[in-house]
Amino acid sequence: MAHQWQGIINEYRERLPFDDADAVVTLKEGGTPLVRAEKLAARTGAEVYIKVEGANPTGSFKDRGMTSAITQVVKEGTQIVACASTGNTSASAAAYAAKAGLGCAVILPAGKIAAGKLAQAIVHGANLVAVDGNFDDCLRIVRELTEKYPVALVNSVNPYRLQGQKTAAFEIVDELGDAPDIHILPVGNAGNISAYWMGYNEYAGHTTAASMDESATRLEPHATRLPRMWGVQAAGAAPFVAGHPIENPETVATAIRIGNPASWNYAVAARDDSRGWIRAVSDEDILRAQRILAEEVGIFVEPASAASVAGLLAAAESGEVPENARIVCTVTGNGLKDTATALAGRDIDFDPIASSLDAAVAALGL
Ligand SMILES: *Cc1c(COP(=O)(O)O)cnc(C)c1O
């Protein structure tokens, strides 16, 4: 019988801070597709794979961190969780809180959440508050809230989030047989780049500053090498490129519209220790990469997710992609969450035709 994926904690428990007695809160997240992208290989001269995190239960990689964060909350007996969110964290927190029977409070920047993500938080029964401010303001409020009230913080400053998220690196190594040469991903609050770097290191038998215990140094290594980490920000929200926080971040890629990343030091370590970089791409390049992924690879991602591929294409255009390098791009969230941005500027007013084959053939120009 074929193995059925059991969720990241059950699949990788010996490398996570849980033991067999812990009751796992899971929606069977992880085990996402790693898709070879021949058209992107042709455009870049590299061997390119796309890690499709939009295939997670709530449509983003946030589910990997949420299964471990919520499992720990239940273990500790807290009844309510809270998060600040650009959308996907709240969608994921609301779903996992529903599964676990917990209350979920969500603090959002007013008017800056894609409709699909807002719908998710609402249908899963979260208690929503919209703030006249940006994500960074929301995170400040929720940090204070969770310090003063018996409410658990499930943003990525919660170390259990990064523990779950590191498993994406394990899956890539398990599938490719070793780490790729280069790993590219979008950078917003910078938890994910930190988590991948931890995952690649732990699978190679090392720990990083983000590691929670020494298990990686006891267990048999599964990788012999580490990738370079290339992080990609949106030009209007690029604090790592500026070298300091950005006051009023602005980008069409709302999931990375963050000016003051919480995991700053971990991300800088991932960049420098891997001899990688964190750069910025324009919104225009992000939307172009989104279209290329949809039209040439068959994967519909939300704008923030396309930043990784936009970064790859920009590096290729400036001749910085080593020939035949093995490259994995993470695409972080599902395109269905934000159809408004994907359809902007397109003609979607179809004039109805007569209901006959002839009319259809004529309209299709066949
Ligand atoms: C959260 C998120 C990001 C940013 O990840 P960080 O860990 O905050 O850097 C990027 N893309 C999508 C779709 C996200 O939901």
Side-chain angles (χ1 to χ4, degrees), residues 61-62 88 187-192 255-256 302 304-305 332-333:
F61 76 83
K62 299 299 198 297
N88 284 330
V187 174
N189 216 19
N192 216 26
I256 52 173
E302 65 168 287
S305 309
T332 42

Side-chain angles (χ1 to χ4, degrees), residues 10-71:
N10 287 317
E11 298 291 339
Y12 292 112
R13 197 182 302 238
E14 65 175 1
R15 293 177 181 274
L16 292 168
F18 299 108
D19 56 41
D20 291 347
D22 295 328
V24 176
V25 180
T26 181
L27 295 169
K28 306 284 177 81
E29 58 296 310
T32 55
L34 185 67
V35 175
R36 202 163 169 161
E38 291 83 0
K39 294 277 173 49
L40 291 177
R43 282 176 178 272
T44 60
E47 184 184 312
V48 182
Y49 295 85
I50 305 295
K51 183 66 169 163
V52 188
E53 290 291 280
N56 275 296
T58 77
S60 86
F61 76 83
K62 299 299 198 297
D63 295 342
R64 294 180 184 273
M66 212 51 75
T67 182
S68 48
I70 301 280
T71 293

Side-chain angles (χ1 to χ4, degrees), residues 245-257:
I246 300 286
E247 191 77 30
N248 294 305
E250 212 36 87
T251 169
V252 69
T254 50
I256 52 173
R257 186 175 170 272

Side-chain angles (χ1 to χ4, degrees), residues 6 17 33-34 38 40 65 67 88 107 111 117 126 169 191 220 240 293 304 309 332 341 344 357 366:
Q6 294 305 314
L34 185 67
E38 291 83 0
L40 291 177
T67 182
N88 284 330
I107 315 265
K117 304 176 189 181
E220 191 198 334
F240 288 105
L293 271 165
V309 172
T332 42
T341 303
L357 174 62
L366 295 174

Side-chain angles (χ1 to χ4, degrees), residues 59-62 86-89 117 135 156 161-162 165 185-194 233 240 255-256 258 261 263 302-306 331-334 337:
S60 86
F61 76 83
K62 299 299 198 297
T86 60
N88 284 330
T89 298
K117 304 176 189 181
F135 171 82
S156 59
R161 282 278 309 277
L162 300 199
Q165 287 172 210
L185 77 174
V187 174
N189 216 19
N192 216 26
I193 190 171
S194 310
Q233 302 212 278
F240 288 105
I256 52 173
I258 293 174
S263 296
E302 65 168 287
S305 309
V331 292
T332 42
N334 197 302
K337 287 169 174 281

